[in-house]
Amino acid sequence: MSIRVENIDKRFGTFTALNDVTLDFRTGELTALLGPSGCGKTTLLRIIAGLETADAGRILIAGEETSDKPVRERHVGFVFQHYALFRHMSVFENVAFGLRVKPRRERPGEAEIRRRVMELLDLVQLAWLAERMPAQLSGGQRQRIALARALAVEPQVLLLDEPFGALDAKVRKELRSWLRQLHETLHITSIFVTHDQEEALELADRVVVMNRGRIEQAGPPQAVYEHPANAFVHGFLGASNILRGTIRDGLFHAEGASLPARNIHQSGGEAVAYLRPHELAIARRPDPAGIPAEIRRILAFGALARIELITLAGRVPLEVELPRHDLAGLALNPGETVHLVPQGVNLFPSAEAGTLPKPVLAKAG
Amino acid sequence: MTATASRRVLPGFGLTLGFTILYLSLVVLIPLSAVFLKTATLSPEQIWNQISAPRAVASYRLTFGASLLAAMVNAVFGLILAWILVRYSFPGKKLVDALIDLPFALPTAVAGIALAAIYAKNGWIGQFLEPLGIRIAFTPAGILVALIFIGLPFVVRTVQPVLQDLDAEFEEAAASLGATRWQSVTRVVLPAILPALTTGFALAFARAVGEYGSVIFIAGNMPLVSEITPLIIITKLEQYDYAGATAIAAVMLLISFALLLVINLLQAWSARRGRREA
């Protein structure tokens, strides 16, 4: 079922959670609502579910206006960040809940309930836990049960609020690929909220980046990552190095280097460059397009090595990522001066960058 | 198994258990056993005569009946009060919250006199009830009013924190699964707070059984009609019939203990049943 969100406004007191948000979610797609905390993503999800009411605007599910329908008539499956499993019920009863509360004439018989619940528990691969109580399960298991419970009522759409937010890194990774597989089998229109860009890019068919109650950019993960619409999106999706400089003669001048840029829209003036750590090459010899910098630290764990540097001109900290075997070939040492040649520079007007939250240099956990 | 294998990680079990037993003995068990020892100075026949006297039997029925009824009323209204205090915010909420503890702080005699005054024939409330043929003061109904008054804080204060911890998420989850408001309250909220509610009920009941001060002012204390067991005990004490008083007290103790035990067992049973299936 498709979902359409039209001109949604929502305020909490003086705080604007959502500001004129319009979005389309296509049938069968898995969409990520991505943004920093307080950007309105969870509020939007709760409004779609009917757990919150918008101050203005409408919600259409499968073309039908649902803004005034109560939650229980919307046929949405909602998965909570902290699972919200009923503690006094067994896993089986938790999953059966949605079937048991149906009006008498729609309610399936006991045998049918049993069959459907076990089918769902098989789907989430936890049939062996049917008689356990929620308190006896691990976090990952609880979240899978919460998902099975939401699926029991055969929802038209599935909404997940930070589904992996409360889990540790390893379990999160496992569940992520498992959820993707599950989505491929079921193809229910799904929306999940996350503040983890890696999760959004890896899992979703479409990523919607939100900030301060507005949508910054929406599109396929690849497109959003490679062609960020603005400085915020660039800063939020993956680590970035930031250089302030000026545009002159079609080149971007900063930190003693003159760099060709992908998107010079201005003929002159100040601008801010965003450089991804893996798009910086390290050269020993001086280069007009190379930024002179001193190596501070070399961190070589895993397939990618991380090098922390500081520019000679303005003492701006930078970060470079390169494959381990390339690092070995370069034989770098801390304290050495090198030249960083960017392979791709994304320029944004400096005014836009001024409104940014500090971009995340280390990858968000 | 070696000694090290059975050693507890947290030290102090022996010390704390020893202290608990000593403390309980000094404060609870020894005074209570004195009741039975004193009673034992009577012959079995005398004991039977004391405890089965029509006045005594009528008073047991009244005391335990009214206490149970008052605890039930408090369970219902205490739950509603706790619900309102936790779930909604309204002007004067802090004041209402503070008012709830008042029956704890007030000397019970003051409560009794106040209740008797307003429910009397010419009292603030009594004057409106009188033409309707309803009499509260100086009848068993008055006892019920007094017991509801003194038992109210127990249910509110036991249920309130549990309700506070019960995230609205659970009700939202129930609603998103298609449950009506009624279904989410009866199937999700009530089972979660049932243990606290039972505890509050048991406390309110126990308090009501032992209540003396507030009841005697409003009850009228007519033998066989509105005379409570604690009053019979006091009357016997005033007549220097110590053994007779302790015999009645022993009966009260045994009935109270049996009822509280049943409530506790019910609670444990419902918790177990909850864990197993429902």
Side-chain angles (χ1 to χ4, degrees):
Chain A
M1 299 294 156
S2 67
I3 307 170
R4 184 170 165 76
V5 171
E6 262 180 26
N7 310 104
I8 293 287
D9 276 324
K10 177 73 183 177
R11 296 170 165 281
F12 294 105
T14 56
F15 175 74
T16 307
L18 293 171
N19 188 354
D20 195 20
V21 170
T22 299
L23 258 179
D24 274 302
F25 301 91
R26 269 164 284 179
T27 306
E29 263 189 356
L30 179 57
T31 308
L33 294 179
L34 174 67
S37 58
C39 73
K41 55 194 192 302
T42 294
T43 308
L44 181 60
L45 195 76
R46 290 173 60 86
I47 288 174
I48 296 172
L51 295 172
E52 209 90 61
T53 46
D55 297 334
R58 15 181 242 159
I59 305 283
L60 296 121
I61 296 180
E64 189 195 343
E65 162 104 45
T66 49
S67 311
D68 296 324
K69 271 196 189 174
V71 203
R72 62 189 185 86
E73 287 168 23
R74 289 201 190 187
H75 298 289
V76 294
F78 200 96
V79 177
F80 294 82
Q81 180 178 4
H82 298 287
Y83 333 118
L85 290 179
F86 306 131
R87 276 175 253 175
H88 60 283
M89 293 183 197
S90 66
V91 164
F92 181 92
E93 286 304 322
N94 261 285
V95 179
F97 185 86
L99 301 172
R100 293 208 194 280
V101 295
K102 277 180 192 282
R104 196 175 300 275
R105 57 205 149 68
E106 294 169 34
R107 195 184 309 157
E110 193 57 45
E112 173 67 8
I113 289 179
R114 179 139 210 105
R115 193 189 62 76
R116 297 242 313 253
V117 171
M118 290 321 283
E119 207 176 271
L120 282 160
L121 287 176
D122 277 333
L123 184 72
V124 299
Q125 298 153 8
L126 291 176
W128 54 289
L129 291 175
E131 298 311 316
R132 298 276 183 92
M133 299 306 285
Q136 297 167 295
L137 309 184
S138 72
Q141 289 170 340
R142 284 184 212 181
Q143 196 55 293
R144 275 146 75 183
I145 297 301
L147 193 63
R149 183 178 70 175
L151 290 172
V153 288
E154 295 173 347
Q156 308 179 42
V157 293
L158 189 59
L159 307 174
L160 306 107
D161 182 12
E162 304 240 10
F164 315 121
L167 303 169
D168 62 69
K170 190 166 171 287
V171 180
R172 204 185 302 179
K173 271 225 151 76
E174 284 169 18
L175 267 190
R176 204 188 283 170
S177 55
W178 174 81
L179 183 66
R180 183 67 224 179
Q181 283 170 21
L182 190 72
H183 181 76
E184 317 264 86
T185 4
L186 298 174
H187 273 293
I188 299 178
T189 312
S190 308
I191 306 173
F192 73 99
V193 156
T194 180
H195 58 259
D196 181 345
Q197 28 87 19
E198 205 181 301
E199 197 169 285
L201 294 174
E202 229 176 77
L203 193 50
D205 296 314
R206 227 158 66 95
V207 175
V208 176
V209 184
M210 293 182 67
N211 184 34
R212 298 183 178 193
R214 286 181 170 280
I215 290 162
E216 298 282 353
Q217 190 174 6
Q222 201 73 31
V224 176
Y225 186 79
E226 280 174 7
H227 308 288
N230 55 38
F232 175 83
V233 178
H234 200 295
F236 198 77
L237 287 182
S240 294
N241 293 303
I242 299 173
L243 288 178
R244 290 172 185 277
T246 49
I247 297 172
R248 225 179 317 115
D249 312 326
L251 288 173
F252 176 70
H253 301 274
E255 301 297 325
S258 310
L259 314 170
R262 282 178 189 145
N263 53 347
I264 293 189
H265 303 303
Q266 305 157 256
S267 53
E270 296 199 341
V272 177
Y274 278 69
L275 310 157
R276 298 239 185 256
H278 63 267
E279 292 180 334
L280 284 168
I282 295 180
R284 275 258 157 67
R285 251 185 289 154
D287 187 314
I291 305 159
E294 184 193 317
I295 298 177
R296 299 311 276 294
R297 257 168 23 121
I298 300 171
L299 304 159
F301 317 105
L304 281 180
R306 242 172 62 212
I307 301 160
E308 293 176 7
L309 310 99
I310 193 154
T311 60
L312 291 185
R315 311 305 285 173
V316 178
L318 293 178
E319 200 179 270
V320 173
E321 268 176 17
L322 76 172
R324 274 280 284 282
H325 61 264
D326 291 4
L327 178 75
L330 283 165
L332 300 170
N333 289 307
E336 211 176 323
T337 298
V338 291
H339 301 269
L340 302 176
V341 185
Q343 265 110 52
V345 179
N346 283 300
L347 281 184
F348 297 101
S350 59
E352 198 178 303
T355 64
L356 280 186
K358 208 172 170 284
V360 221
L361 263 180
K363 273 188 185 157
Chain B
M1 212 188 267
T2 60
T4 44
S6 63
R7 193 184 290 159
R8 283 160 205 275
V9 181
L10 296 177
F13 174 70
L15 185 68
T16 47
L17 182 71
F19 179 74
T20 308
I21 290 174
L22 176 74
Y23 193 82
L24 269 181
S25 307
L26 284 177
V27 175
V28 181
L29 292 177
I30 293 177
L32 287 190
S33 56
V35 170
F36 291 97
L37 287 176
K38 189 74 193 172
T39 310
T41 58
L42 298 175
S43 71
E45 204 192 330
Q46 282 172 309
I47 296 176
W48 180 249
N49 285 341
Q50 286 282 359
I51 63 175
S52 64
R55 259 176 86 174
V57 173
S59 81
Y60 304 147
R61 206 179 296 130
L62 178 65
T63 301
F64 288 99
S67 298
L68 270 179
L69 206 58
M72 282 181 211
V73 172
N74 275 329
V76 175
F77 288 99
L79 177 61
I80 295 173
L81 250 168
W83 180 271
I84 284 171
L85 286 176
V86 170
R87 284 302 167 88
Y88 307 100
S89 63
F90 50 90
K93 177 171 160 172
K94 284 262 176 328
L95 198 72
V96 174
D97 204 19
L99 273 176
I100 297 208
D101 289 327
L102 221 53
F104 274 153
L106 210 61
T108 49
V110 176
I113 294 166
L115 287 173
I118 59 169
Y119 283 105
K121 246 187 277 185
N122 49 2
W124 287 351
I125 299 179
Q127 61 180 324
F128 300 112
L129 295 176
E130 183 71 17
L132 304 173
I134 302 168
R135 298 187 60 181
I136 303 283
F138 316 121
T139 68
I143 299 177
L144 190 63
V145 171
L147 295 182
I148 290 172
F149 176 82
I150 52 124
L152 178 71
F154 292 97
V155 174
V156 180
R157 292 297 180 229
T158 48
V159 171
Q160 209 177 3
V162 179
L163 214 49
Q164 210 122 42
D165 283 348
L166 190 73
D167 219 306
E169 233 174 45
F170 294 104
E171 285 156 77
E172 288 177 353
S176 78
L177 292 168
T180 60
R181 193 76 194 110
W182 175 249
Q183 282 170 324
S184 41
V185 169
T186 53
R187 289 172 182 242
V188 175
V189 178
L190 276 183
I193 59 173
L194 193 64
L197 191 64
T198 331
T199 305
F201 173 82
L203 286 173
F205 168 71
R207 177 77 176 81
V209 168
E211 177 58 16
Y212 173 74
S214 62
V215 175
I216 52 159
F217 288 100
I218 199 174
N221 306 325
M222 279 173 292
L224 299 171
V225 179
S226 59
E227 189 180 39
I228 54 165
T229 316
L231 181 67
I232 291 189
I233 296 172
I234 298 277
T235 316
K236 284 192 188 296
L237 287 178
E238 282 170 350
Q239 294 160 351
Y240 303 105
D241 180 8
Y242 294 130
T246 54
I248 305 268
V251 171
M252 267 195 96
L253 260 176
L254 289 176
I255 299 177
S256 300
F257 183 74
L259 283 172
L260 290 174
L261 195 67
V262 167
I263 292 172
N264 275 338
L265 288 176
L266 269 178
Q267 200 179 341
W269 173 77
S270 81
R272 232 192 355 264
R273 195 186 67 118
R275 228 170 289 132
R276 211 180 56 243
E277 39 119 10

